[in-house]
Amino acid sequence: MGKRKENSTNLLNESYIMESCDLTYAICKIGGRWKLLILCKLENGTLRFSELRNQINGITERMLTLQLRELEKDGLVKRTVYAEVPPRVDYELTEIAKELVPIWAKLSKWGAKHKILVSEF
Amino acid sequence: MGKRKENSTNLLNESYIMESCDLTYAICKIGGRWKLLILCKLENGTLRFSELRNQINGITERMLTLQLRELEKDGLVKRTVYAEVPPRVDYELTEIAKELVPIWAKLSKWGAKHKILVSEF
DNA sequence: CCCATTACTTACAAATTTGTTAGTATCATA
DNA sequence: TATGATACTAACAAATTTGTAAGTAATGGG
């Protein structure tokens, strides 16, 4: 998000892990603080920047921008800019991201169940 | 992993997100740097601390300990200590974690596919 | 008594992520 | 000409995660 240091142990470890484990790779792509919330909001269709901002409690414009940029770079979100003033930018899920939706659904279900189980102990 | 500051915006945001999105909740539970690699190694059965350490390239004992502790606290891994010297500690997936295995498998597949697609552009 | 083994801890430092605050550009409209 | 709306960016600070290096306890074997 800021630039990362090249050749830090940290970065090397991350690279190694992403290479050696497709699962880690997958989850890294959606691992930012707000990414999943953003992706979930987009499940039902296109939204513009301000709509996302308003639907996600607590996110700052900076964070929203950063997370969207990464999602875009990673091919999960498509960004469309309209040449209007005031500006208008739309975001939507890519095909690749849509493939994830049914998997998310299961994970989400697991999360809900697990949340209860753990909080009950 | 170190203790977190109470009442930081960061922590509040995290709490909010975990509450409002089961998916984020789920993924947070497995989001540590080495957690998935650990969980994957345990898919085939019980391993002891040193076996995990040896099978995961680059992990330090500190990190392995920290991640295992969180996985244990979150109910994903079961820790069994034997009263032996030198010490012997076994780790295995819990039932809850095993429920995730088929989901991981799909995510992992997606990751593998996505990795290729993105690197090709 | 000394050493090796195993599964950790501890104190510290570096890297990374996240948050805060204050801008910026553009142009239609008042 | 000043204002407002929208989607950002920039500089900085705080919080959090990750890594480094050096221990520790207990006990069987030499």
Side-chain angles (χ1 to χ4, degrees), chain A:
Chain A
M1 312 225 152
K3 323 239 143 99
R4 299 184 66 177
K5 200 170 180 188
E6 291 176 40
N7 292 327
S8 64
T9 304
N10 189 304
L11 185 58
L12 293 180
N13 275 342
E14 184 176 285
S15 306
Y16 156 70
I17 293 169
M18 303 255 276
E19 278 306 310
S20 63
C21 181
D22 291 333
L23 180 52
T24 300
Y25 177 89
I27 294 216
C28 280
K29 293 301 163 188
I30 50 182
R33 163 80 105 230
W34 306 91
K35 282 187 189 169
L36 284 169
L37 221 44
I38 295 172
L39 292 170
C40 290
K41 299 293 180 191
L42 293 175
E43 262 185 57
N44 307 311
T46 299
L47 290 176
R48 50 192 299 190
F49 187 85
S50 55
E51 292 173 316
L52 282 169
R53 184 199 345 109
N54 295 334
Q55 288 185 30
I56 299 176
N57 199 323
I59 198 168
T60 61
E61 300 198 327
R62 170 181 149 77
M63 273 301 127
L64 183 52
T65 303
L66 284 174
Q67 305 271 292
L68 283 170
R69 286 291 188 286
E70 288 200 353
L71 288 169
E72 193 193 356
K73 169 171 73 60
D74 289 333
L76 291 169
V77 153
K78 185 174 160 227
R79 180 167 177 263
T80 310
V81 183
Y82 298 88
E84 298 175 10
V85 169
R88 173 198 173 121
V89 182
D90 276 358
Y91 293 93
E92 62 188 310
L93 297 187
T94 60
E95 287 313 309
I96 279 190
K98 285 179 189 161
E99 284 177 28
L100 276 180
V101 174
I103 306 181
W104 291 347
K106 291 207 185 79
L107 248 182
S108 182
K109 219 174 203 171
W110 179 91
K113 180 178 169 189
H114 178 266
K115 200 168 8 176
I116 296 171
L117 287 175
V118 169
S119 65
E120 260 177 4
F121 82 103

Side-chain angles (χ1 to χ4, degrees), chain B residues 25-108:
Chain B
Y25 176 90
I27 295 217
C28 279
K29 294 302 162 187
I30 50 181
R33 163 80 104 231
W34 305 92
K35 282 186 189 171
L36 284 169
L37 221 44
I38 294 173
L39 292 170
C40 289
K41 298 294 180 190
L42 292 175
E43 263 185 56
N44 306 313
T46 299
L47 290 176
R48 52 192 300 191
F49 187 85
S50 55
E51 291 172 317
L52 282 169
R53 181 191 358 102
N54 296 334
Q55 287 185 31
I56 299 176
N57 200 322
I59 198 170
T60 61
E61 299 198 329
R62 171 181 148 76
M63 274 301 126
L64 183 52
T65 302
L66 284 174
Q67 303 272 293
L68 282 169
R69 284 293 187 285
E70 288 201 353
L71 288 169
E72 192 193 356
K73 170 172 72 61
D74 288 332
L76 291 168
V77 152
K78 186 175 161 225
R79 179 167 178 264
T80 309
V81 184
Y82 297 90
E84 297 176 7
V85 169
R88 172 198 174 121
V89 182
D90 275 359
Y91 292 93
E92 62 187 310
L93 298 187
T94 61
E95 285 313 309
I96 280 190
K98 284 180 191 162
E99 283 177 29
L100 276 180
V101 174
I103 306 180
W104 290 346
K106 291 208 184 80
L107 249 182
S108 182

